[in-house]
Amino acid sequence: MRYSVFLFFFFFFSCQRGEITSYVEYANHNDTVKYVGKEQCRMCHAEIYDSYIETGMGKSFHFATKEHSDLMDSEMPIIHDSIKNLSYKPFWKNDSLYLKEFRLKGKDTIHVLVKKVDYKIGSGHHTNSHLFEINGYVHQMPYTYYTQDKIADLPPGFEDGHNTRFSRDIGLECMSCHNAFSQHESGSINKYKSIPSGIDCESCHGPGEVHVKQKLAGNIIDTSKYIDYSIVNPAKLPLDLQFDVCQRCHLQGTAVLAAGKSFTDFKPGQYLHDFMDVYLPKYKNEESFIMASHVDRLKASACFQNAEMTCITCHNPHKSVSTLSTTYFDNKCMQCHDVCEEEEIQNCTSCHMPNSTTTDIMHVSITDHKIGIHNKSKISKEDFLGLVAINNDNPNNLSKAKAYLKHYESFESNPVYLDSSKYYLDKLPIETSFPLYVKYYYLQKEYKSIINLEMQYSEANFFGENKIEKSISLSRIAESYALSNMNEKALSYYRQANKLSPYHLDIKIKLGVQLLRMKELSLAKKEF
């Protein structure tokens, strides 16, 4: 009802005045407004819908059927993990895709595991990776098809002995950018009540429930003259907010959530730094970049720095790049750059935005969005300058401490990141830093330090409000006690962690193991 009242007053006064003279929050920013799905949008916007679903975003996530999989037209290559001595072979059974993991000893097959592929992730412009689902839990599989070179290999992050086989969680951080709004089960990392297919209209325009209701009620706004505040049109946003819509997902890095926020809270038309800071490691004379760093590279361009430019200055998100004419981007360049009429300009981007490999994903090349004159140079570890929050010029010490810890844990286990995290942790009050110190000592494998910290502050509640983060901290304390053979304390903390996050499988397994350790067989069986 709150947004209905809001819209009544908004539309009444907007119609009376004929224009909006001050900023009014979009009605679909209200947290009661629901997502309706792209098929609902198609009812009125069929032409845009039909064009959009052919884009990379529209094809980003779907069922792993022959219609949607690039493996259908491939030779179905077998890959081999030489470090773990495991091989992977995809195969079709009717319209369903399966992946077989096997190990050979001589000519004998000594291990076989077959799993059905439920989803493919990736548009096919660069890759198709593969996911499977059991009881709502979604995990990545150890097989990626790299479409540019038409080869298969382990997925990014699975190489060099890091093949986690079928256990990599697909949490909200991954799902919220690679797909439309998914109904995530609270108290879990990777359990979902429902999963849509593909990044949809509402990813860039915000939830559509109130917009649909207004149109069905006959409240039509002439958008050639006025802004329809029932839903966000990114093209009508101020430039900084317009840019935030794109950099929500096209700024990949170490994302640190603001207090009380989740990866699905941000809505188009809001400031991204109110929800998260996104960090990237910076080096002297850096010319290399990671896959989804389009925003970071564009911001380093003179074109961006000296003009009112955003992503949609050059890109139409409703149209696939593959459908554009060969002169499309040249014409975009000519809108700002004067060139003599006699001079024939062809493919400006080939020199000024060249295709390049990325540091995080093998077998792909993408357009470097830093517009300029490019000089390739190698990065030295000694040239490391630090983690930089690309979307926030002034992140606080808490955000920086979290960023260094997360980057160490998730991307690069270089001790310099732990040293930097400690520097910022020491600047924080213990009420704020307690769970981060637990994480810091855990990553250092200093379990006795965790016990000493817990014993010193056992009566205080310094874990914060985020249930998942709190449960992980409790689980780490429990593990520290278990390793010191203090089993009762360990069991107590594992139970607290499991109560907070009952669908967090790793915590539940550790609780079961602890019960086994204490000979509580029937209770352990119940948990497993």
Side-chain angles (χ1 to χ4, degrees):
M1 285 300 294
R2 284 186 293 168
Y3 62 75
S4 299
V5 174
F6 168 84
L7 282 170
F8 172 81
F9 283 105
F10 168 74
F11 283 109
F12 175 80
F13 287 112
S14 64
C15 291
Q16 293 297 307
R17 294 197 305 269
E19 62 179 0
I20 303 301
T21 57
S22 61
Y23 177 78
V24 179
E25 183 179 8
Y26 285 86
N28 68 343
H29 285 178
N30 192 297
D31 59 12
T32 64
V33 181
K34 297 177 182 177
Y35 289 84
V36 297
K38 63 179 181 287
E39 296 302 328
Q40 183 69 57
C41 303
R42 188 183 190 182
M43 300 292 289
C44 297
H45 305 282
E47 185 177 351
I48 292 175
Y49 173 95
D50 291 340
S51 172
Y52 173 77
I53 60 171
E54 296 302 319
T55 67
M57 290 188 292
K59 293 181 175 182
S60 62
F61 194 101
H62 220 294
F63 295 109
T65 59
K66 290 180 178 178
E67 178 184 359
H68 301 293
S69 173
D70 285 279
L71 278 173
M72 179 57 192
D73 298 320
S74 77
E75 296 179 357
M76 306 290 281
I78 298 173
I79 66 172
H80 180 66
D81 180 351
S82 60
I83 296 176
K84 296 200 172 181
N85 189 25
L86 288 167
S87 297
Y88 297 93
K89 175 181 174 59
F91 63 92
W92 293 102
K93 186 181 291 185
N94 297 323
D95 197 33
S96 296
L97 182 62
Y98 290 81
L99 184 65
K100 179 169 76 172
E101 176 189 77
F102 62 97
R103 177 180 286 130
L104 299 178
K105 186 175 182 180
K107 295 184 178 181
D108 295 327
T109 302
I110 60 173
H111 162 75
V112 173
L113 176 64
V114 175
K115 285 189 178 289
K116 183 178 181 294
V117 183
D118 292 296
Y119 304 104
K120 70 92 191 182
I121 186 168
S123 66
H125 289 176
H126 302 100
T127 67
N128 273 182
S129 286
H130 303 91
L131 313 178
F132 73 100
E133 176 186 345
I134 295 178
N135 297 328
Y137 291 94
V138 180
H139 294 85
Q140 186 170 2
M141 307 175 91
Y143 188 96
T144 292
Y145 183 60
Y146 295 88
T147 56
Q148 288 178 319
D149 293 335
K150 299 186 184 304
I151 62 174
D153 207 335
L154 291 169
F158 281 66
E159 64 273 22
D160 301 327
H162 300 295
N163 180 4
T164 52
R165 301 175 64 210
F166 298 92
S167 65
R168 178 188 277 182
D169 300 331
I170 298 299
L172 264 184
E173 184 169 1
C174 300
M175 190 70 80
S176 61
C177 274
H178 285 281
N179 203 7
F181 182 81
S182 303
Q183 289 190 307
H184 180 255
E185 182 77 68
S186 63
S188 80
I189 295 292
N190 62 322
K191 190 178 194 318
Y192 299 89
K193 298 175 183 176
S194 67
I195 300 175
S197 57
I199 299 166
D200 67 5
C201 315
E202 292 169 298
S203 299
C204 298
H205 294 276
E209 181 191 28
V210 66
H211 178 70
V212 171
K213 286 184 176 180
Q214 285 297 314
K215 301 313 124 185
L216 291 176
N219 291 316
I220 308 300
I221 303 294
D222 183 354
T223 54
S224 67
K225 297 179 181 178
Y226 313 113
I227 295 176
D228 182 352
Y229 282 88
S230 68
I231 199 163
V232 175
N233 180 349
K236 300 292 180 70
L237 291 172
L239 293 181
D240 53 349
L241 291 177
Q242 187 183 112
F243 204 61
D244 274 353
V245 175
C246 300
Q247 72 176 347
R248 166 63 185 93
C249 291
H250 289 272
L251 176 57
Q252 178 189 355
T254 300
V256 175
L257 291 171
K261 303 300 183 183
S262 84
F263 285 105
T264 56
D265 286 343
F266 169 80
K267 295 181 178 67
Q270 297 175 326
Y271 286 104
L272 184 62
H273 60 69
D274 288 339
F275 297 84
M276 67 183 72
D277 296 332
V278 184
Y279 291 81
L280 285 172
K282 289 296 178 179
Y283 301 85
K284 297 176 186 176
N285 304 316
E286 181 178 1
E287 282 297 330
S288 63
F289 54 92
I290 61 177
M291 179 78 169
S293 58
H294 312 87
V295 165
D296 177 45
R297 298 299 286 169
L298 181 60
K299 284 183 174 181
S301 307
C303 289
F304 177 84
Q305 295 166 2
N306 296 298
E308 292 188 340
M309 181 182 186
T310 69
C311 305
I312 61 175
T313 302
C314 298
H315 286 285
N316 180 347
H318 295 148
K319 291 188 178 295
S320 172
V321 174
S322 63
T323 66
L324 303 176
S325 70
T326 56
T327 60
Y328 177 85
F329 289 109
D330 286 342
N331 293 335
K332 291 292 183 180
C333 296
M334 294 307 103
Q335 290 176 7
C336 296
H337 296 278
D338 294 328
V339 179
C340 177
E341 291 184 2
E342 289 80 20
E343 197 171 345
E344 185 178 358
I345 300 298
Q346 290 185 337
N347 201 359
C348 310
T349 59
S350 64
C351 291
H352 299 291
M353 299 176 68
N355 273 3
S356 178
T357 57
T358 67
T359 58
D360 60 332
I361 300 183
M362 51 198 173
H363 311 308
V364 302
S365 62
I366 67 167
T367 300
D368 185 351
H369 279 66
K370 181 181 179 181
I371 310 167
I373 298 172
H374 290 259
N375 297 307
K376 295 298 179 183
S377 58
K378 293 183 179 180
I379 298 174
S380 169
K381 295 296 183 182
E382 287 71 33
D383 293 335
F384 179 63
L385 299 175
L387 291 179
V388 176
I390 306 301
N391 68 314
N392 186 353
D393 293 332
N394 191 30
N396 58 39
N397 289 330
L398 176 60
S399 176
K400 293 175 185 176
K402 287 183 175 181
Y404 278 104
L405 287 170
K406 184 175 180 180
H407 195 88
Y408 177 91
E409 182 180 32
S410 302
F411 296 105
E412 186 181 359
S413 54
N414 185 334
V416 70
Y417 293 111
L418 286 182
D419 293 343
S420 297
S421 70
K422 183 67 161 52
Y423 172 80
Y424 291 110
L425 279 176
D426 289 344
K427 293 176 177 290
L428 299 171
I430 189 63
E431 300 94 300
T432 302
S433 62
F434 178 80
L436 299 180
Y437 271 115
V438 171
K439 183 174 184 177
Y440 170 79
Y441 290 129
Y442 185 83
L443 294 174
Q444 293 271 49
K445 298 183 179 179
E446 296 181 13
Y447 305 113
K448 289 185 178 180
S449 295
I450 294 178
I451 291 173
N452 291 337
L453 191 69
E454 187 277 334
M455 292 178 69
Q456 186 176 356
Y457 298 103
S458 59
E459 300 301 320
N461 183 13
F462 293 158
F463 289 98
E465 297 179 359
N466 186 298
K467 288 185 177 181
I468 288 290
E469 290 181 0
K470 183 175 180 179
S471 63
I472 291 173
S473 293
L474 291 168
S475 176
R476 286 168 171 163
I477 293 172
E479 187 174 341
S480 301
Y481 275 117
L483 291 169
S484 299
N485 294 317
M486 301 172 71
N487 289 319
E488 291 295 340
K489 290 280 285 187
L491 181 61
S492 173
Y493 273 105
Y494 276 132
R495 280 177 165 159
Q496 292 179 59
N498 183 63
K499 185 176 180 180
L500 274 175
S501 299
Y503 300 110
H504 192 310
L505 294 185
D506 187 54
I507 291 174
K508 187 169 288 292
I509 289 170
K510 288 181 177 180
L511 171 58
V513 169
Q514 181 61 30
L515 288 165
L516 280 178
R517 187 180 289 119
M518 299 173 69
K519 312 298 183 186
E520 297 285 356
L521 301 185
S522 61
L523 293 176
K525 181 179 179 181
K526 180 181 177 182
E527 294 302 330
F528 288 129

